[in-house]
Amino acid sequence: MDALERYEPIVDDYAAFREACERPLPSVVRANGIKADPDRAAAALEDEGVTVTRRAWNPSILEVDTDKPGNTWPYFHGWIHGQEEVSAIPARVLDPEPGDAVWDACAAPGSKTTQLADLLDDAGLLMANDDNLGRLSALRSNAERLGATCVAVTNEDARRFTADGFGIDAFDAVLADVPCTCEGTIRKNADALDTVGREASLNIAALQTDILRRAIRLTREGGTVVYSTCTFAPEENEGVIDRVLDDEPVALVDFDVDLAHSPGLTAWNGETYDGSLTRAKRFYPHQNDTGGFFCAKLEVGA
């Protein structure tokens, strides 16, 4: 059995799912509102001879008919940033307000960090953390090119992270886009399935759970935590959230994303999960011609 076959019982159209996983991804960029609004960014690309197709669910997402948008001057000047479409979901779901204190727990290479800075109008405090020192250069470079001046970069283990020295007691909002087995990236990473499977997912789920717990504990009462992965594995998605719902002061809340999706699971492989996990969303490659993704929104103190 190959790595994806175990998901046949939970995917609405398994044949379409498998076919989509074998196609290359569309080329997509995000307009960076810190430097240019989506209309201006799209016009600049079209002036370069690049055809742009807008996305109705998010006006900042632009499909382009080039696989090298990084060679255009709008990219060089920070008007756009290459970002896979479903990767833009969690920041939109977190939806921070200008002036908020926000923590991006696993931030490198910075696509979601810089999107959060854009949503903040580059006003507030955005702590962008990653425990991989080698990836911080990309995070810093992207923040600088895109003009995200509200970003403070840190290099800590997210499981033991603190905001000491930054003048805040708790965060208003936290994005926990955690390390995962990355099955949902199969359309751009041909080797994404080489080391995946139930055991790999169970092994990394312990780390994911610890990061999510830390995110919850560093968020003020009434604040928001968004948990996301780019994997299909329930062990890393619903299983992780179900575990923290048992003993953390947090509840899943509804959110809207105008993309086709499937609800979170309440049962998998003989296990049952909290019924509120239907409020989470699964995005499969065949539903919107994207990569695979999982996203859940939690309110602290609920």
Side-chain angles (χ1 to χ4, degrees), residues 125-200:
L125 172 65
L126 174 52
M127 296 187 68
N129 179 72
D130 205 277
D131 69 351
N132 187 331
L133 185 61
R135 286 162 56 90
L136 290 189
S137 59
L139 173 59
R140 290 195 184 98
S141 175
N142 284 324
E144 290 171 4
R145 179 176 59 84
L146 298 170
T149 63
C150 68
V151 175
V153 175
T154 59
N155 175 220
E156 304 288 344
D157 184 333
R159 295 170 294 181
R160 291 179 282 277
F161 188 84
T162 73
D164 293 350
F166 284 87
I168 59 171
D169 296 322
F171 292 102
D172 299 297
V174 174
L175 174 58
D177 183 64
V178 297
C180 68
T181 52
C182 300
E183 295 167 329
T185 68
I186 182 60
R187 297 182 67 181
K188 63 179 180 181
N189 297 318
D191 60 353
L193 303 182
D194 288 355
T195 59
V196 304
R198 182 173 182 273
E199 289 304 315

Side-chain angles (χ1 to χ4, degrees), residues 25-33 37-38 41-46 50-55 57-72 74-76 78-88 111 114-115 118 145-146:
L25 278 169
S27 184
V28 174
V29 299
R30 174 178 55 81
N32 172 34
D37 64 38
L45 285 165
E46 288 168 346
V50 177
T51 300
V52 175
T53 304
R54 309 292 285 268
R55 290 290 191 262
W57 77 275
N58 185 340
S60 294
I61 301 301
L62 312 174
E63 182 180 344
V64 293
D65 69 345
T66 173
D67 59 0
K68 296 182 179 180
N71 289 348
T72 64
Y75 182 94
F76 180 80
W79 288 23
I80 61 170
H81 180 69
Q83 185 169 355
E84 211 272 296
E85 186 167 355
V86 287
S87 173
S111 293
T114 52
Q115 184 185 5
D118 186 354
R145 179 176 59 84
L146 298 170

